[in-house]
Amino acid sequence: MNPLDVVLWVVVPYVAMAVFVVGHYWRYRYDKFGWTTRSSQLYESRLLRWGSPLFHFGILAALGGHVVGLGIPTSWTEAAGIPEHAYHVVAVGLGAVAGIGTIAGLAILIYRRRTVGPVFSATTRNDKLMYVLLTTTILLGLSNTVLGNFVGEGVDYRHTVSPWFRGLFYFSPKPELMAEAGLGYQLHALSACALFAAWPFTRLVHVFSAPLGYFTRPYIVYRSRTPQLGSRATARGWDRVGSSRR
Amino acid sequence: MRLMAQMGMVMNLDKCIGCHTCSVTCKQAWTNRSGVEYVWFNNVETRPGQGYPRTYEDQERWKGGWVVGRGGRLQLRTGSRLRRLMTIFSNPVQPSMGDYYEPWTYDYDTLLNAPVQEHTPVARPESMITGKPMKVEWSANWDDDLGGAPELTQADPVLRKISAEVKEKFEQTYMFYLPRICEHCINPSCAASCPSGAIYKREEDGIVLVDQDRCRGWRMCVTGCPYKKIYFNHRTGKAEKCTFCFPRVEVGIPTVCSETCVGRLRCMGIVLYDADRVLEAGSTPDPQDLQDAQRSLILDPEDPEVIRAARRAGIAEDWIDAAQRSPIYALINRYQVALPLHPEYRTMPMVWYIPPLSPVVDALTETGHDGEEAGNLFGAIESLRIPVEYLAELFTAGDTDRVTRVLRKLGAMRSYMRDLNLGRPAQESIAEAVGMTGRDVEDMHRLLAIAKYEDRYVIPTAHSEHGPGGEEYASGCSLDYDGGPGMGGPDGGWGPFGETSGGTTPIAVENFHMLAQRQTTDTIAAPRDKSQRVNLLNWDGKGAPERLFPRRDGEARPTDEPTGGGTQPGEPGSLDHDPTSGDPEPRP
């Protein structure tokens, strides 16, 4: 086995995953105030009205596609009686639609960010880095789908990329599988690793704030102001009488 | 019965002169920061006028507040929870910067650094959003004092509701001011709209606040609030709103806007209400009955039943006492002269208003009648239907009778008190004509006209066992908070993702650093060549020591060698070369 393959397909993904997980934990502990979408709708909404839903719904569909494509082994779909060809047609079709929607939305959003003065001046260096990583990853992913299926012959990622990806999660990495996958898939995976490593430190953290709890909570939230008295936490050894020991 | 206490405010519009002191002091206290330049937690609108943001009262357009849906159920005007989440990526009805205004400053550098020139230099307006020169076309008070009327006033959504005949006459009649803060509603639609659950109502005093650590910037609250009193901080990406100055209220002092009101028109206090019946009251079918439904929620603090329930709910004795002495309970329920702003939004607002009467009296006096004679006054209120209709659209969902009833009470108070002031016998019949007693009228007069500080503000403190944590308390060190001293401030205090990251800094610490910075880093106070200048404090006035005047261009530089013969020992100019002479300039 080529040592480079081990670095690229074992070390790099695990490092990215570790940074992703620990980074989010750290950011949530340390920087709740900075955890926001930082919406720019106040500055401009005409372009945003098209770009943002296109991008977000597109990327959510793409996420679903990745969960199915990477997470479900071929043997399962075969057991369910879905022919390989049918699966492929559906995957490519939906993937292309989602990908094109995402790219179109992203293009509108980047155009907006560059040309609308207030939006541009609210863009930080962190945002720019995030845009580069995100756009690269999405473009590489879409090009794999388009080039692989409409132009050239498709690489069977369900027998290379997917088992490699799953292997990472049950701690039996198979770097040789990824080494066989095409260059397009390799680049997509690497840029995704970079994106995931940067994720916790960018505004992308808002993904983890998807407000699903809104469906179950009562409309009006009542809160007592007692849990923390004033602006500082109680000093150690000065807990109030009757407070729980946790 | 689930009894809760609620902080509230009543503003007596008769006394508002539109000076904007409340807005300015509030801004200085709360929104004098980057990202909230356009934010006015307190603003004063001229009515008729478009308000701030423009035409915010047009709920067909802005979709704020609650409506009674199918089956008489209360629902948000923006629809179901699912529908709101589906529009989370782009809120279809969020006001844009243009509906508020683009904040600006002026290019003062051009003025300060202009060379001698024939024409006076001009400081051009610059956008505080983009930093580029801009054309100023709108602001928070562009239509102040009917500026731009009648063209601009025609866009007033309240005016558009009332008849054409009234509209024509309106701008000849009068105008009045409407100061607005967050209503701290009993049934806040902003909180109901928040997907993250970051907006909450405090159990103790009903103040509605945004948890800055939980807000994710989904912006649904901006749409949900029909009063448009939730603002989006475009720098931090979080919602912000009027806090009812909770750090002050907790220690028993009124809000900044109340404290600085020169007209002394604001009253603050608490009421006790039945939280179990809020939904029922909010679902009242006829919007004109909503204010009575809300009045019925607010319980009589003298009723022994209510007092027992309050004790059961854990409300402290001093709070019950404050509820009994509450000026807002008196104005809302006892005298019934205060009216809620736009009850038809169904949020059960808790900042109420006493509608203005003065122009009626003035108009009467101008026609040669005795403006304060009870009969004349009552007649005039009936006939001056124009303002009553407008006021009704603001305060009673269009019911002119309820407004008239209040105006008659105010008129009765003036007539009744005039007799007393002129030493005539009191006419109990005047009070009776409006369903009050002379005693009530005198009490109301004391509260509204004399308006002593301790009568206007009855604010029970947060409990002493909570006290030392209160942010504005002087006891304890304000720097001693989580993270310790030196964590705040413009340089050391930011998280790794810029100024909006990291924990929140207590206001006292922010102020401390702001002052420290102003005192230490001003370049005018500490010029770079200070060490070479003549210290005038040590100069005895004899001769002209070197560097007393700035060098002319081309003049030979005197030697800077320390051993050079340029300065004679004992000459004052040499003093500032002496490292031991100290710095006579005061240092913070």
Side-chain angles (χ1 to χ4, degrees):
Chain A
M1 203 188 303
N2 189 342
L4 184 64
D5 286 340
V6 177
V7 171
L8 288 183
W9 313 121
V10 180
V11 176
V12 168
Y14 274 128
V15 167
M17 279 157 70
V19 173
F20 185 80
V21 172
V22 177
H24 274 103
Y25 174 75
W26 171 81
R27 177 105 189 252
Y28 189 74
R29 284 293 303 269
Y30 179 74
D31 185 30
K32 279 193 197 119
F33 184 56
W35 195 293
T36 156
T37 55
R38 282 235 331 280
S39 162
S40 56
Q41 185 170 0
L42 187 66
Y43 302 133
E44 198 277 348
S45 60
R46 199 175 49 86
L47 287 167
L48 186 86
R49 187 176 306 152
W50 287 100
S52 180
L54 260 179
F55 170 77
H56 281 96
F57 286 118
I59 200 89
L60 282 175
L63 171 73
H66 278 71
V67 168
V68 173
L70 293 174
I72 297 180
T74 323
S75 55
W76 291 21
T77 48
E78 275 168 3
I82 302 168
E84 177 65 27
H85 183 69
Y87 175 90
H88 198 66
V89 168
V90 170
V92 170
L94 290 181
V97 170
I100 288 164
T102 310
I103 286 289
L106 191 61
I108 295 174
L109 291 179
I110 291 177
Y111 170 79
R112 167 178 181 269
R113 201 153 269 282
R114 186 62 196 87
T115 55
V116 179
V119 184
F120 185 57
S121 50
T123 309
T124 63
R125 257 173 297 176
N126 186 314
D127 290 342
K128 288 173 191 164
L129 172 74
M130 185 274 292
Y131 268 102
V132 168
L133 290 173
L134 191 65
T135 313
T136 314
T137 310
I138 292 173
L139 281 177
L140 284 168
L142 187 64
S143 67
N144 284 338
T145 308
V146 172
L147 293 179
N149 293 289
F150 297 109
V151 184
E153 60 189 74
V155 175
D156 190 0
Y157 62 87
R158 296 189 77 200
H159 289 113
T160 54
V161 183
S162 304
W164 162 76
F165 180 77
R166 288 194 297 271
L168 291 175
F169 287 91
Y170 41 77
F171 300 109
S172 62
K174 305 182 186 70
E176 66 281 359
L177 286 176
M178 198 58 199
E180 286 168 25
L183 182 67
Y185 285 98
Q186 292 178 339
L187 289 177
H188 179 60
L190 284 180
S191 95
C193 283
L195 177 65
F196 286 129
W199 196 291
F201 313 105
T202 65
R203 63 202 295 185
L204 291 179
V205 290
H206 75 265
V207 171
F208 292 94
S209 305
L212 299 176
Y214 187 45
F215 288 111
T216 52
R217 74 146 221 259
Y219 260 147
I220 310 295
V221 180
Y222 290 94
R223 264 166 69 179
S224 171
R225 60 178 193 81
T226 41
Q228 181 180 318
L229 304 179
S231 53
R232 58 188 155 154
T234 316
R236 283 171 65 191
W238 288 92
D239 296 321
R240 284 198 297 168
V241 175
S243 60
S244 70
R245 192 189 298 258
R246 267 183 303 167
Chain B
M1 189 193 294
R2 187 163 57 103
L3 202 134
M4 293 181 100
Q6 166 78 43
M7 259 307 154
M9 192 185 282
V10 172
M11 300 193 208
N12 184 0
L13 295 185
D14 246 344
K15 293 161 81 178
C16 183
I17 58 170
C19 66
H20 301 276
T21 306
C22 46
S23 307
V24 172
T25 50
C26 171
K27 186 135 188 82
Q28 287 292 339
W30 288 104
T31 57
N32 194 8
R33 292 171 281 141
S34 181
V36 284
E37 304 91 346
Y38 76 102
V39 171
W40 295 87
F41 288 167
N42 182 108
N43 73 307
V44 183
E45 298 167 2
T46 302
R47 304 319 299 249
Q50 299 190 12
Y52 184 71
R54 286 189 234 198
T55 70
Y56 70 94
E57 285 152 307
D58 184 356
Q59 300 311 333
E60 293 302 312
R61 181 172 174 210
W62 298 115
K63 308 275 182 214
W66 304 88
V67 287
V68 173
R70 267 169 298 163
R73 276 173 59 89
L74 205 57
Q75 65 176 56
L76 288 173
R77 200 184 280 271
T78 42
S80 67
R81 295 179 197 232
L82 179 67
R83 196 167 149 180
R84 261 187 304 288
L85 287 199
M86 293 306 278
T87 56
I88 208 166
F89 302 129
S90 167
N91 184 347
V93 279
Q94 184 185 337
S96 69
M97 209 81 185
D99 295 307
Y100 299 97
Y101 67 102
E102 186 167 348
W104 73 91
T105 179
Y106 291 94
D107 174 21
Y108 293 109
D109 269 3
T110 305
L111 291 188
L112 297 175
N113 299 329
V116 178
Q117 58 188 36
E118 191 180 346
H119 301 289
T120 312
V122 174
R124 291 201 298 167
E126 270 175 4
S127 165
M128 286 169 92
I129 303 292
T130 59
K132 303 226 163 65
M134 64 173 274
K135 193 176 170 207
V136 177
E137 285 173 324
W138 192 260
S139 82
N141 273 300
W142 203 251
D143 55 356
D144 203 20
D145 290 346
L146 296 183
E151 284 78 17
L152 287 182
T153 28
Q154 274 161 12
D156 178 353
V158 178
L159 202 55
R160 269 188 281 160
K161 280 190 185 168
I162 53 185
S163 71
E165 171 212 1
V166 173
K167 267 188 226 173
E168 277 165 30
K169 285 184 187 164
F170 204 95
E171 63 267 16
Q172 301 160 12
T173 317
Y174 78 100
M175 62 173 191
F176 63 96
Y177 301 102
L178 182 72
R180 294 202 305 125
I181 61 170
C182 166
E183 297 281 345
H184 296 276
C185 305
I186 288 180
N187 192 23
S189 54
C190 58
S193 308
C194 175
S196 309
I199 302 181
Y200 62 97
K201 197 165 173 63
R202 296 213 301 191
E203 281 167 12
E204 290 83 1
D205 48 18
I207 293 176
V208 179
L209 294 172
V210 183
D211 183 339
Q212 292 288 305
D213 276 352
R214 292 187 69 179
C215 173
R216 301 284 175 252
W218 299 123
R219 319 175 298 293
M220 291 296 143
C221 52
V222 180
T223 306
C225 173
Y227 302 95
K228 291 292 168 279
K229 275 293 172 188
I230 300 234
Y231 297 90
F232 188 75
N233 181 326
H234 58 88
R235 191 104 175 214
T236 61
K238 307 253 167 171
E240 293 194 19
K241 67 179 290 297
C242 158
T243 62
F244 216 73
C245 288
F246 70 89
R248 293 171 61 90
V249 168
E250 280 175 10
V251 294
I253 47 180
T255 62
V256 169
C257 54
S258 304
E259 180 84 81
T260 59
C261 175
V262 296
R264 307 198 293 185
L265 58 96
R266 299 187 187 220
C267 297
M268 286 176 63
I270 58 166
V271 291
L272 304 175
Y273 72 100
D274 183 1
D276 278 341
R277 284 180 38 240
V278 171
L279 202 61
E280 176 202 323
S283 318
T284 307
D286 184 353
Q288 296 191 344
D289 293 334
L290 274 163
Q291 59 165 297
D292 289 337
Q294 188 171 354
R295 282 206 175 98
S296 76
L297 278 186
I298 296 170
L299 304 167
D300 179 2
E302 308 281 359
D303 182 350
E305 190 74 24
V306 172
I307 294 174
R308 265 199 302 279
R311 285 182 186 140
R312 264 203 312 277
I315 292 172
E317 291 301 319
D318 57 338
W319 279 61
I320 298 174
D321 175 59
Q324 288 166 349
R325 292 186 294 120
S326 169
I328 71 162
Y329 177 78
L331 295 170
I332 291 174
N333 263 13
R334 196 171 301 140
Y335 311 134
Q336 306 213 346
V337 287
L339 301 169
L341 180 63
H342 290 298
E344 70 272 21
Y345 298 160
R346 297 177 182 274
T347 59
M348 307 270 135
M350 276 314 295
V351 175
W352 288 41
Y353 294 88
I354 299 174
L357 175 75
S358 298
V360 182
V361 179
D362 293 342
L364 264 183
T365 313
E366 272 169 31
T367 58
H369 291 86
D370 179 353
E372 290 188 320
E373 202 271 314
N376 286 347
L377 202 45
F378 290 162
I381 291 167
E382 307 291 340
S383 61
L384 277 178
R385 284 182 62 253
I386 306 156
V388 172
E389 279 193 19
Y390 190 91
L391 294 172
E393 285 300 335
L394 276 184
F395 300 119
T396 60
D399 179 5
T400 49
D401 285 350
R402 282 187 169 87
V403 177
T404 311
R405 233 177 289 154
V406 171
L407 293 181
R408 284 169 59 94
K409 279 182 186 169
L410 297 176
M413 181 177 81
R414 291 182 83 134
S415 289
Y416 184 89
M417 291 311 298
R418 186 174 71 150
D419 285 340
L420 291 191
N421 287 339
L422 296 179
R424 298 184 200 150
Q427 296 184 51
E428 193 68 22
S429 63
I430 298 178
E432 276 164 15
V434 293
M436 295 175 84
T437 64
R439 183 67 202 272
D440 278 348
V441 171
E442 279 178 59
D443 285 349
M444 191 163 87
H445 175 262
R446 181 177 163 77
L447 184 53
L448 294 183
I450 298 176
K452 290 279 186 200
Y453 192 92
E454 60 273 18
D455 292 336
R456 274 179 290 145
Y457 309 127
V458 180
I459 304 166
T461 54
H463 262 269
S464 48
E465 62 269 27
H466 306 172
E471 181 144 23
E472 302 282 320
Y473 252 166
S475 66
C477 174
S478 59
L479 296 179
D480 182 16
Y481 65 98
D482 202 12
M487 291 297 284
D491 300 312
W494 294 352
F497 311 109
E499 65 192 298
T500 64
S501 65
T504 40
T505 310
I507 296 153
V509 176
E510 265 181 14
N511 284 346
F512 170 80
H513 282 286
M514 215 159 68
L515 271 177
Q517 196 201 21
R518 206 165 70 193
Q519 289 169 336
T520 54
T521 64
D522 194 335
T523 49
I524 294 167
R528 207 173 300 147
D529 59 344
K530 193 172 76 171
S531 63
Q532 298 162 23
R533 290 194 182 180
V534 172
N535 186 341
L536 291 174
L537 287 175
N538 297 343
W539 182 41
D540 60 1
K542 291 178 189 158
E546 207 140 292
R547 301 191 187 95
L548 180 63
F549 299 106
R551 256 179 235 113
R552 283 208 187 89
D553 285 347
E555 199 177 336
R557 284 178 68 83
T559 172
D560 278 339
E561 307 274 318
T563 51
T567 9
Q568 299 293 323
E571 198 179 325
S574 66
L575 268 176
D576 53 21
H577 284 285
D578 181 1
T580 59
S581 68
D583 188 350
E585 271 191 51
R587 286 227 163 233

